[in-house]
Amino acid sequence: MMYFLKQIGFLAIMLLSVFGFGQSKAKSYIIEGNEQYQKGKFDNAEYAYKKAAIEDPTSVKANYNLGNALFQQKRFKESITHYKRSADISKTKDDKHLAYHNLGNAFMQEKDYGKAVDNYRLALKNDPKDDATRYNYALAKKLLEKEQEKQKDQNGKDNKKDQNDQSQQNQKDQQNKQQNQQNQNNQQQQNQSQNQKSDQQKEQNQGGNPKAGGQNGNNKGQGNNQNPAIQQGNNGDGNEQNNAPNNLGDGLLKALQDQEAKTQRKIIQQKSEKQRTTTSKDW
């Protein structure tokens, strides 16, 4: 890509020096720098122009030519500093035009197309008829518009990506919320199941009958027994009601014994009468 770099007429500077506009050190260093610049020794030219700028900081030519020497070494940011210095201290439109034109070139190299457009516009303001400045200005505007369009598309993609990321995050948050709720429900069900098992175990430990007393099966009955009869040989717990069946049994036994005695007496009597009858026949 071609940029038209404005350069000061070195021959004019040399002629001015020859014809006696003062042989100051600054002008001598500028002449030395011009010679090195023409030979393509831009680092030597830079050194000479810097010495000239030190001797005369208000020298437009020293700062402008120093900017050119740095530009040729592709040290564009450093060249911008000296081009700006040259534009600030310039007294004529021609000098300002040169400084702003090359400022535009330096910003183009830095791909700062917005600032390049601004400086080319200032250069055209000081020299509207310069074709090189007009060409560079149009090129800078085109590159700036292209960059802005690209940035717009990138912003659209970024916004879409952000929206997608936010949507995915919302879905993830909703899933986490549902999972947490499910975990809570599962925990509640587990706690209820454990509590129910605990209650059942507690009832089993208590014998399943809250009215029963005693431990280890050594309980005494409560209330009336459906079968109060006690077999002979068992001792009651001292209650009179439990002793009544023993008396009844004794009475029955005695009655049976009386009945058996009566029966024996009856048999003996019958035998006796039979014996008497037999004896009577013998007689």
Side-chain angles (χ1 to χ4, degrees):
M1 187 178 295
M2 179 179 178
Y3 305 112
F4 295 97
L5 184 65
K6 298 290 184 177
Q7 301 185 18
I8 288 181
F10 301 111
L11 181 60
I13 296 176
M14 294 176 66
L15 290 174
L16 289 175
S17 300
V18 171
F19 288 104
F21 275 72
Q23 296 296 322
S24 67
K25 288 184 178 180
K27 290 182 179 180
S28 298
Y29 290 137
I30 291 174
I31 294 172
E32 179 184 350
N34 291 345
E35 293 175 350
Q36 297 296 324
Y37 191 97
Q38 287 178 329
K39 294 177 181 179
K41 297 180 179 181
F42 303 116
D43 54 345
N44 292 338
E46 173 194 350
Y47 182 68
Y49 292 140
K50 282 184 176 179
K51 289 190 293 184
I54 291 173
E55 292 294 334
D56 184 5
T58 62
S59 173
V60 175
K61 294 178 175 61
N63 283 281
Y64 180 84
N65 288 358
L66 177 56
N68 287 343
L70 293 167
F71 187 98
Q72 295 292 352
Q73 298 178 72
K74 302 185 183 304
R75 293 156 62 186
F76 306 114
K77 290 183 179 180
E78 294 179 66
S79 71
I80 289 171
T81 300
H82 295 284
Y83 286 140
K84 284 183 177 180
R85 175 66 177 164
S86 176
D88 291 340
I89 62 180
S90 294
K91 302 298 183 182
T92 67
K93 286 189 174 183
D94 288 341
D95 289 342
K96 287 184 179 295
H97 166 74
L98 294 172
Y100 285 129
H101 179 95
N102 284 359
L103 267 172
N105 289 348
F107 281 118
M108 286 283 280
Q109 293 291 344
E110 289 293 305
K111 301 186 183 304
D112 192 340
Y113 304 121
K115 290 183 179 180
V117 168
D118 292 340
N119 282 280
Y120 286 138
R121 186 183 293 115
L122 290 173
L124 288 173
K125 184 177 180 180
N126 286 278
D127 186 1
K129 297 180 180 180
D130 187 272
D131 291 336
T133 302
R134 189 179 296 109
Y135 173 84
N136 288 4
Y137 175 68
L139 179 60
K141 283 187 66 176
K142 184 177 180 179
L143 292 174
L144 178 61
E145 291 172 357
K146 185 176 180 180
E147 183 182 62
Q148 290 174 342
E149 187 66 24
K150 183 178 180 180
Q151 185 65 38
K152 183 178 179 181
D153 292 341
Q154 184 63 39
N155 290 338
K157 291 180 180 179
D158 292 341
N159 291 336
K160 186 175 180 179
K161 182 177 182 299
D162 292 339
Q163 291 176 356
N164 291 336
D165 292 343
Q166 185 63 40
S167 177
Q168 292 177 358
Q169 184 63 39
N170 291 339
Q171 291 178 358
K172 185 176 180 180
D173 293 341
Q174 184 65 25
Q175 291 175 354
N176 291 336
K177 183 177 180 180
Q178 293 176 354
Q179 184 63 40
N180 292 334
Q181 184 64 39
Q182 183 65 34
N183 292 338
Q184 291 179 0
N185 293 338
N186 292 338
Q187 186 63 37
Q188 290 178 356
Q189 292 178 357
Q190 184 177 1
N191 292 338
Q192 290 176 355
S193 177
Q194 291 178 351
N195 291 336
Q196 185 176 4
K197 290 180 179 179
S198 178
D199 292 340
Q200 292 176 352
Q201 184 65 33
K202 185 176 179 180
E203 290 180 358
Q204 292 176 359
N205 293 336
Q206 292 178 351
N209 184 6
K211 294 183 180 181
Q215 297 178 352
N216 300 324
N218 297 326
N219 298 330
K220 293 185 178 180
Q222 297 179 357
N224 297 326
N225 295 327
Q226 295 180 356
N227 185 9
I230 298 178
Q231 296 180 357
Q232 190 174 1
N234 291 338
N235 294 326
D237 290 335
N239 293 330
E240 293 181 356
Q241 293 179 355
N242 291 336
N243 292 332
N246 288 334
N247 296 332
L248 180 58
D250 293 340
L252 290 174
L253 181 58
K254 185 178 181 180
L256 291 174
Q257 292 174 350
D258 293 341
Q259 184 64 34
E260 185 178 359
K262 289 180 180 180
T263 300
Q264 291 292 334
R265 287 196 299 270
K266 186 175 181 181
I267 292 172
I268 295 171
Q269 185 178 0
Q270 289 177 353
K271 287 182 177 182
S272 175
E273 290 177 354
K274 185 177 180 181
Q275 187 175 14
R276 286 197 303 268
T277 305
T278 303
T279 303
S280 175
K281 287 183 178 181
D282 290 344
W283 290 341

